[in-house]
Every structure is written in C-alpha cells, then in structure tokens.
Amino acid sequence: MTAPDPLTGLNPVVRARADAVLDRHPTSRGLPDLLRRVCEDEGIEVHEADLRDIAGVLRQVNGRWRITLHRDESASRKWFTVAHLLGHYFLHAAPGRTFVQTMLPRGGGRR
C-alpha cells in the first residue's frame, strides 16, 4: 500500500516549489536528514537559543539566512519548526524579512 501524499491539495505554486525542493533532496534517509541537508545546501545556519515563547525565527544575519530554534523544545518540535520556516524561506524570503514561529501551548491545547 502506498503512503498518502502529504502535499495533496496544496496551492499549485506551493506544490511546484515543494516538488522542486524534494527533487533536489531525496527523502530516503528520513525527515531530519532531509531538513539538515536542505539547510546546508541553501546556506542556512541553524542555531539554538532561549527564545521565551517563540519556537523559531528565520532572518538574515550579516547577509546569511539563519534559523534560530528554542533550545528547550523537543527534537520533533524543532524539526517541525525548521520545516515550517523553510516553507517561508522558499515561498517568500527576501532581504529584511523576518519570520517568527510562536510556540504551541503546553498540554496539547490550541490557540
């Protein structure tokens, strides 16, 4: 049985950009490896810091793109945040733009 396509139903422009990224970066070694390689290939630095109520930030620092993750988040949440911020990078990153991913509330609630 084939796994469902997680990109089904996306806007055609978003789908085309996602397909282009996946064509350049095979996913056979798992999501963390894929995200790590995409960041390396795009020249995006990944750092951790105490960001209080922010899960991650994507911005340019000295002309280079950087993702800063909240150091106290779980590994799976950090990878989710990297993936989310890479979406912003590929769709609408431009010099001077900053993207902030807020933290989800503790306990599984929704905002």
Side-chain angles (χ1 to χ4, degrees):
M1 180 175 194
T2 303
D5 182 353
L7 302 179
T8 298
L10 284 180
N11 169 301
V13 172
V14 173
R15 175 63 193 241
R17 290 193 182 175
D19 286 341
V21 171
L22 292 173
D23 286 346
R24 290 193 317 268
H25 304 282
T27 60
S28 62
R29 295 180 65 192
L31 186 61
D33 181 66
L34 169 67
L35 296 173
R36 194 175 296 112
R37 285 184 293 120
V38 170
C39 288
E40 288 173 3
D41 290 353
E42 294 295 322
I44 300 170
E45 301 172 348
V46 179
H47 298 271
E48 293 185 11
D50 178 9
L51 299 178
R52 297 185 184 216
D53 62 344
I54 296 172
V57 178
L58 169 68
R59 66 180 175 182
Q60 278 191 314
V61 177
N62 297 323
R64 294 195 60 180
W65 285 99
R66 175 182 291 178
I67 292 175
T68 305
L69 302 169
H70 192 295
R71 71 171 50 123
D72 294 333
E73 287 292 280
S74 68
S76 60
R77 174 61 197 197
K78 288 176 187 175
W79 289 122
F80 171 85
T81 301
V82 169
H84 181 94
L85 293 172
L86 282 173
H88 286 294
Y89 172 81
F90 284 110
L91 292 174
H92 26 249
R97 293 210 57 191
T98 297
F99 302 91
V100 177
Q101 173 65 42
T102 58
M103 294 175 80
L104 297 174
R106 302 286 179 196
R110 294 186 163 232
R111 288 186 180 179

